[in-house]
Coordinates of all heavy atoms in Angstrom, one line a residue:
L5 N 354.2 17.0 74.2 CA 354.8 16.9 72.8 C 356.0 17.7 72.7 O 356.1 18.8 73.3 CB 353.8 17.4 71.8 CG 352.5 16.6 71.5 CD1 351.7 17.2 70.4 CD2 352.8 15.2 71.2
T6 N 357.0 17.2 72.0 CA 358.2 17.9 71.7 C 357.8 18.8 70.5 O 356.8 18.7 69.8 CB 359.3 17.0 71.2 OG1 358.9 16.3 70.0 CG2 359.7 16.0 72.3
P7 N 358.7 19.9 70.2 CA 358.4 20.7 69.1 C 358.3 19.9 67.8 O 357.4 20.1 67.0 CB 359.7 21.6 69.0 CG 360.1 21.7 70.4 CD 359.8 20.4 71.1
A8 N 359.1 18.8 67.6 CA 359.1 18.0 66.4 C 357.8 17.3 66.3 O 357.2 17.2 65.2 CB 360.3 17.1 66.4
L9 N 357.3 16.7 67.4 CA 356.0 16.0 67.4 C 354.8 16.9 67.2 O 353.9 16.5 66.5 CB 355.9 15.2 68.7 CG 356.7 13.9 68.8 CD1 356.6 13.3 70.2 CD2 356.3 12.9 67.8
A10 N 354.9 18.1 67.8 CA 353.8 19.1 67.6 C 353.7 19.4 66.1 O 352.7 19.5 65.5 CB 354.1 20.3 68.4
W11 N 354.9 19.6 65.5 CA 355.0 20.0 64.1 C 354.4 18.9 63.2 O 353.7 19.1 62.2 CB 356.4 20.4 63.7 CG 356.7 20.6 62.2 CD1 357.8 20.1 61.6 CD2 355.9 21.3 61.2 NE1 357.7 20.5 60.3 CE2 356.6 21.2 60.0 CE3 354.7 22.0 61.3 CZ2 356.1 21.8 58.9 CZ3 354.2 22.6 60.1 CH2 354.9 22.5 58.9
R12 N 354.7 17.6 63.6 CA 354.2 16.5 62.8 C 352.7 16.4 62.9 O 352.0 16.1 61.9 CB 354.8 15.2 63.3 CG 354.5 14.0 62.4 CD 355.3 12.8 62.8 NE 354.6 11.9 63.8 CZ 355.1 10.9 64.4 NH1 356.4 10.6 64.1 NH2 354.5 10.2 65.2
R13 N 352.2 16.7 64.1 CA 350.7 16.6 64.3 C 350.0 17.7 63.4 O 349.0 17.4 62.8 CB 350.4 16.8 65.7 CG 348.9 16.6 66.1 CD 348.8 16.4 67.6 NE 347.4 16.6 67.9 CZ 346.9 16.8 69.2 NH1 347.8 16.8 70.2 NH2 345.7 17.0 69.4
L14 N 350.6 18.9 63.3 CA 350.0 19.9 62.4 C 350.1 19.5 61.0 O 349.2 19.7 60.2 CB 350.7 21.2 62.7 CG 350.3 22.0 63.9 CD1 351.0 23.4 63.9 CD2 348.8 22.2 64.0
R15 N 351.3 19.0 60.6 CA 351.5 18.5 59.2 C 350.4 17.5 58.8 O 349.9 17.5 57.7 CB 352.9 18.0 59.0 CG 353.9 19.0 58.7 CD 355.2 18.4 58.0 NE 355.6 17.1 58.5 CZ 356.4 16.9 59.5 NH1 356.9 17.9 60.2 NH2 356.7 15.6 59.9
E16 N 350.2 16.5 59.7 CA 349.3 15.4 59.4 C 347.9 16.0 59.3 O 347.1 15.5 58.4 CB 349.4 14.3 60.5 CG 350.7 13.5 60.4 CD 350.9 12.6 61.6 OE1 350.1 12.7 62.6 OE2 351.8 11.8 61.5
G17 N 347.5 16.9 60.1 CA 346.2 17.5 60.1 C 346.0 18.3 58.8 O 344.9 18.2 58.1
N18 N 347.0 19.0 58.4 CA 346.9 19.8 57.1 C 346.8 18.8 55.9 O 346.1 19.1 55.0 CB 348.1 20.7 57.0 CG 348.1 21.6 55.7 OD1 349.0 21.6 54.9 ND2 347.0 22.3 55.5
E19 N 347.5 17.7 56.0 CA 347.4 16.7 54.9 C 346.0 16.2 54.8 O 345.5 16.1 53.7 CB 348.4 15.6 55.2 CG 348.8 14.7 54.0 CD 349.5 15.5 52.9 OE1 350.3 16.4 53.2 OE2 349.2 15.2 51.7
R20 N 345.4 15.9 55.9 CA 344.0 15.5 55.9 C 343.1 16.5 55.2 O 342.2 16.2 54.4 CB 343.5 15.1 57.3 CG 344.1 13.9 57.9 CD 343.4 13.4 59.1 NE 343.3 14.4 60.2 CZ 344.2 14.6 61.1 NH1 345.3 13.9 61.2 NH2 344.0 15.5 62.1
F21 N 343.3 17.8 55.6 CA 342.5 18.9 55.1 C 342.7 19.0 53.6 O 341.7 19.1 52.8 CB 342.9 20.2 55.8 CG 342.2 21.4 55.2 CD1 340.9 21.6 55.3 CD2 343.0 22.3 54.6 CE1 340.3 22.8 54.8 CE2 342.4 23.5 54.0 CZ 341.0 23.7 54.1
V22 N 343.9 19.0 53.1 CA 344.2 19.1 51.7 C 343.5 18.0 50.9 O 343.0 18.2 49.8 CB 345.8 19.0 51.4 CG1 346.1 18.9 50.0 CG2 346.4 20.3 52.0
N23 N 343.5 16.8 51.5 CA 342.9 15.6 50.8 C 341.4 15.5 51.0 O 340.8 14.5 50.5 CB 343.6 14.3 51.3 CG 345.1 14.3 50.9 OD1 345.5 14.8 49.8 ND2 345.9 13.7 51.7
G24 N 340.8 16.4 51.7 CA 339.4 16.3 51.9 C 339.0 15.2 52.8 O 337.9 14.7 52.8
E25 N 339.9 14.9 53.8 CA 339.7 13.8 54.7 C 339.7 14.3 56.2 O 340.1 13.5 57.1 CB 340.7 12.7 54.5 CG 340.7 12.1 53.1 CD 341.9 11.2 52.8 OE1 342.9 11.2 53.6 OE2 341.9 10.6 51.7
S26 N 339.3 15.5 56.4 CA 339.3 16.1 57.8 C 338.6 15.2 58.7 O 337.5 14.7 58.4 CB 338.8 17.5 57.8 OG 339.6 18.4 57.0
S27 N 339.1 15.0 59.9 CA 338.4 14.2 60.9 C 337.7 15.0 62.0 O 337.1 14.5 62.9 CB 339.4 13.2 61.6 OG 340.5 13.9 62.2
H28 N 337.9 16.3 62.0 CA 337.3 17.3 63.0 C 337.4 16.8 64.4 O 336.4 16.6 65.1 CB 335.8 17.5 62.6 CG 335.6 17.8 61.2 ND1 335.9 19.1 60.7 CD2 335.1 17.1 60.1 CE1 335.6 19.1 59.4 NE2 335.2 18.0 59.0
P29 N 338.7 16.5 64.9 CA 338.8 16.0 66.2 C 338.5 17.0 67.3 O 338.6 18.2 67.1 CB 340.3 15.6 66.3 CG 340.9 16.6 65.3 CD 339.9 16.8 64.2
N30 N 338.2 16.6 68.5 CA 338.1 17.4 69.7 C 337.1 18.6 69.5 O 337.3 19.7 70.0 CB 339.4 18.0 70.1 CG 340.4 16.9 70.5 OD1 340.0 15.9 71.0 ND2 341.7 17.2 70.2
Q31 N 335.9 18.2 68.8 CA 334.9 19.3 68.6 C 333.6 18.9 69.1 O 332.6 19.5 68.8 CB 334.8 19.6 67.1 CG 336.1 20.2 66.5 CD 336.1 20.5 65.0 OE1 335.0 20.6 64.5 NE2 337.2 20.6 64.4
N32 N 333.5 17.9 70.1 CA 332.3 17.5 70.6 C 332.0 18.1 72.0 O 332.9 18.7 72.6 CB 332.2 16.0 70.6 CG 333.3 15.3 71.4 OD1 334.0 16.0 72.2 ND2 333.5 14.0 71.2
A33 N 330.9 17.7 72.6 CA 330.5 18.3 73.9 C 331.4 17.8 75.0 O 331.7 18.6 76.0 CB 329.0 17.9 74.2
S34 N 331.8 16.5 75.0 CA 332.7 16.0 76.1 C 334.0 16.7 76.1 O 334.6 17.0 77.1 CB 332.8 14.5 76.0 OG 333.6 14.2 74.8
R35 N 334.6 17.0 74.9 CA 335.8 17.8 74.8 C 335.6 19.2 75.4 O 336.4 19.7 76.1 CB 336.3 17.8 73.3 CG 337.5 18.7 73.1 CD 338.8 18.2 73.7 NE 339.9 18.9 73.2 CZ 341.2 18.6 73.6 NH1 341.4 17.6 74.4 NH2 342.2 19.3 73.1
R36 N 334.5 19.8 75.0 CA 334.2 21.1 75.5 C 334.2 21.1 77.0 O 334.8 22.0 77.7 CB 332.8 21.6 74.9 CG 332.5 23.0 75.2 CD 331.2 23.4 74.6 NE 330.0 22.7 75.2 CZ 329.0 22.1 74.6 NH1 329.0 22.1 73.2 NH2 328.0 21.5 75.2
S37 N 333.5 20.2 77.6 CA 333.4 20.2 79.1 C 334.7 19.8 79.8 O 335.0 20.3 80.9 CB 332.3 19.2 79.5 OG 332.5 17.9 79.1
S38 N 335.5 19.1 79.1 CA 336.8 18.7 79.7 C 337.8 19.9 79.8 O 338.8 19.8 80.5 CB 337.5 17.6 78.9 OG 338.0 18.1 77.7
L39 N 337.5 20.9 79.0 CA 338.4 22.1 79.0 C 338.0 23.3 79.8 O 338.6 24.3 79.8 CB 338.5 22.5 77.5 CG 339.2 21.6 76.5 CD1 338.9 22.0 75.1 CD2 340.7 21.5 76.8
V40 N 336.9 23.1 80.6 CA 336.4 24.2 81.3 C 337.4 24.8 82.3 O 337.6 26.0 82.4 CB 335.1 23.9 82.1 CG1 334.7 25.0 83.0 CG2 334.0 23.5 81.1
E41 N 338.2 24.0 82.9 CA 339.1 24.4 84.0 C 340.6 24.6 83.5 O 341.4 25.2 84.1 CB 339.2 23.4 85.1 CG 337.8 23.2 85.8 CD 337.3 24.4 86.5 OE1 338.1 25.3 86.8 OE2 336.1 24.5 86.6
T42 N 340.9 24.1 82.3 CA 342.3 24.1 81.9 C 342.4 24.1 80.3 O 341.4 23.7 79.6 CB 343.0 22.9 82.5 OG1 344.4 23.0 82.1 CG2 342.5 21.6 81.9
Q43 N 343.6 24.4 79.8 CA 343.9 24.3 78.4 C 345.3 23.9 78.3 O 346.2 24.3 79.0 CB 343.6 25.5 77.6 CG 344.4 26.8 78.0 CD 344.3 27.9 77.0 OE1 344.3 27.7 75.8 NE2 344.3 29.1 77.5
N44 N 345.6 23.0 77.3 CA 347.0 22.5 77.0 C 347.2 22.5 75.5 O 347.5 21.4 75.0 CB 347.2 21.2 77.7 CG 347.0 21.2 79.2 OD1 347.7 21.7 79.9 ND2 345.9 20.5 79.6
P45 N 347.2 23.6 74.9 CA 347.4 23.6 73.4 C 348.8 23.1 73.1 O 349.7 23.4 73.9 CB 347.2 25.1 73.0 CG 347.4 25.9 74.3 CD 347.0 25.0 75.4
F46 N 348.9 22.4 72.0 CA 350.3 21.9 71.6 C 351.0 22.8 70.6 O 352.1 22.6 70.3 CB 350.2 20.5 71.1 CG 349.5 20.4 69.7 CD1 350.2 20.5 68.5 CD2 348.1 20.1 69.6 CE1 349.6 20.4 67.3 CE2 347.5 20.0 68.4 CZ 348.2 20.2 67.2
A47 N 350.3 23.9 70.2 CA 351.0 24.9 69.3 C 350.3 26.2 69.4 O 349.1 26.3 69.8 CB 350.9 24.4 67.8
V48 N 351.0 27.3 69.1 CA 350.4 28.6 69.0 C 350.6 29.0 67.5 O 351.7 28.8 66.9 CB 351.0 29.6 69.9 CG1 352.6 29.7 69.8 CG2 350.4 31.0 69.7
I49 N 349.5 29.4 66.9 CA 349.5 29.8 65.5 C 349.3 31.3 65.4 O 348.2 31.8 65.8 CB 348.4 29.0 64.7 CG1 348.7 27.5 64.8 CG2 348.4 29.5 63.3 CD1 347.7 26.6 64.2
F50 N 350.3 32.0 64.9 CA 350.2 33.4 64.7 C 350.1 33.6 63.2 O 351.0 33.5 62.5 CB 351.5 34.1 65.3 CG 351.5 35.6 64.9 CD1 350.4 36.4 64.9 CD2 352.7 36.2 64.6 CE1 350.4 37.7 64.6 CE2 352.8 37.5 64.3 CZ 351.6 38.3 64.3
G51 N 348.8 33.9 62.8 CA 348.6 34.0 61.4 C 347.9 35.3 60.9 O 347.5 36.1 61.8
C52 N 347.7 35.4 59.6 CA 347.0 36.5 59.1 C 345.5 36.3 59.4 O 345.0 35.2 59.5 CB 347.2 36.5 57.6 SG 346.4 37.9 56.7
S53 N 344.8 37.5 59.5 CA 343.4 37.5 59.9 C 342.5 37.1 58.7 O 341.3 37.0 58.9 CB 343.0 38.9 60.3 OG 343.7 39.3 61.5
D54 N 343.1 36.9 57.5 CA 342.3 36.6 56.3 C 341.2 35.5 56.6 O 341.5 34.5 57.2 CB 343.2 36.1 55.2 CG 342.6 36.0 53.9 OD1 341.7 35.2 53.7 OD2 342.9 36.8 53.0
S55 N 340.0 35.7 56.1 CA 338.9 34.8 56.5 C 339.1 33.4 55.9 O 338.4 32.5 56.3 CB 337.6 35.4 55.9 OG 337.6 35.5 54.5
R56 N 340.0 33.3 54.9 CA 340.2 32.0 54.3 C 341.3 31.2 55.0 O 341.7 30.1 54.6 CB 340.7 32.2 52.8 CG 339.6 32.9 52.0 CD 340.2 33.5 50.7 NE 341.1 34.6 51.0 CZ 341.7 35.3 50.0 NH1 341.4 35.0 48.7 NH2 342.4 36.3 50.3
L57 N 341.8 31.7 56.1 CA 343.0 31.1 56.8 C 342.6 30.7 58.2 O 343.4 30.8 59.2 CB 344.1 32.2 56.9 CG 345.5 31.7 56.9 CD1 345.8 31.0 55.6 CD2 346.5 32.9 57.1
A58 N 341.4 30.0 58.4 CA 341.0 29.6 59.7 C 341.9 28.5 60.2 O 341.8 27.3 59.7 CB 339.5 29.1 59.6
A59 N 342.7 28.8 61.2 CA 343.7 27.8 61.6 C 343.2 26.5 62.0 O 343.8 25.4 61.6 CB 344.5 28.5 62.8
E60 N 342.2 26.4 62.9 CA 341.7 25.1 63.3 C 341.2 24.2 62.2 O 341.3 23.0 62.2 CB 340.6 25.3 64.4 CG 341.0 25.8 65.7 CD 341.0 27.3 65.8 OE1 340.9 28.0 64.8 OE2 341.2 27.8 66.9
I61 N 340.7 24.9 61.1 CA 340.1 24.1 60.0 C 341.3 23.6 59.1 O 341.3 22.4 58.8 CB 339.2 25.0 59.2 CG1 337.9 25.3 60.0 CG2 338.7 24.2 57.9 CD1 337.0 26.3 59.4
I62 N 342.2 24.4 58.8 CA 343.3 24.0 57.8 C 344.2 23.0 58.4 O 344.9 22.3 57.7 CB 344.0 25.2 57.2 CG1 344.8 26.0 58.2 CG2 343.0 26.1 56.5 CD1 345.6 27.1 57.6
F63 N 344.3 23.0 59.8 CA 345.2 22.0 60.4 C 344.4 20.8 61.0 O 344.9 20.0 61.7 CB 346.1 22.6 61.4 CG 347.1 23.5 60.8 CD1 347.0 24.9 61.0 CD2 348.2 23.0 60.1 CE1 348.0 25.7 60.4 CE2 349.1 23.8 59.5 CZ 349.0 25.2 59.6
D64 N 343.1 20.8 60.8 CA 342.2 19.8 61.3 C 342.4 19.5 62.8 O 342.7 18.3 63.2 CB 342.3 18.5 60.4 CG 341.2 17.5 60.7 OD1 340.1 17.9 61.1 OD2 341.4 16.3 60.5
V65 N 342.2 20.5 63.6 CA 342.3 20.3 65.1 C 341.0 20.9 65.7 O 340.1 21.4 65.0 CB 343.5 21.1 65.6 CG1 344.8 20.4 65.1 CG2 343.5 22.6 65.3
G66 N 340.9 20.8 67.0 CA 339.7 21.2 67.6 C 339.9 22.0 68.9 O 340.9 22.7 69.0
L67 N 338.9 22.0 69.7 CA 338.9 22.8 70.9 C 340.1 22.5 71.8 O 340.4 21.3 72.0 CB 337.6 22.6 71.7 CG 336.3 23.1 71.1 CD1 335.2 22.6 71.9 CD2 336.3 24.6 70.8
G68 N 340.8 23.5 72.3 CA 342.0 23.2 73.2 C 343.2 22.8 72.5 O 344.2 22.6 73.2

Side-chain angles (χ1 to χ4, degrees):
L5 291 183
T6 62
L9 284 171
W11 171 224
R12 188 169 92 188
R13 190 165 161 191
L14 282 183
R15 277 202 318 273
E16 289 170 351
N18 182 235
E19 198 64 35
R20 291 194 301 273
F21 173 69
V22 169
N23 295 329
E25 298 167 354
S26 295
S27 59
H28 308 288
N30 297 330
Q31 295 180 20
N32 57 15
S34 65
R35 174 66 168 182
R36 186 178 70 223
S37 58
S38 76
L39 292 166
V40 171
E41 302 296 335
T42 186
Q43 62 167 322
N44 300 291
F46 69 88
V48 55
I49 298 174
F50 173 39
C52 181
S53 299
D54 192 293
S55 62
R56 299 163 291 183
L57 210 64
E60 288 90 347
I61 295 174
I62 67 178
F63 293 109
D64 193 27
V65 293
L67 297 172

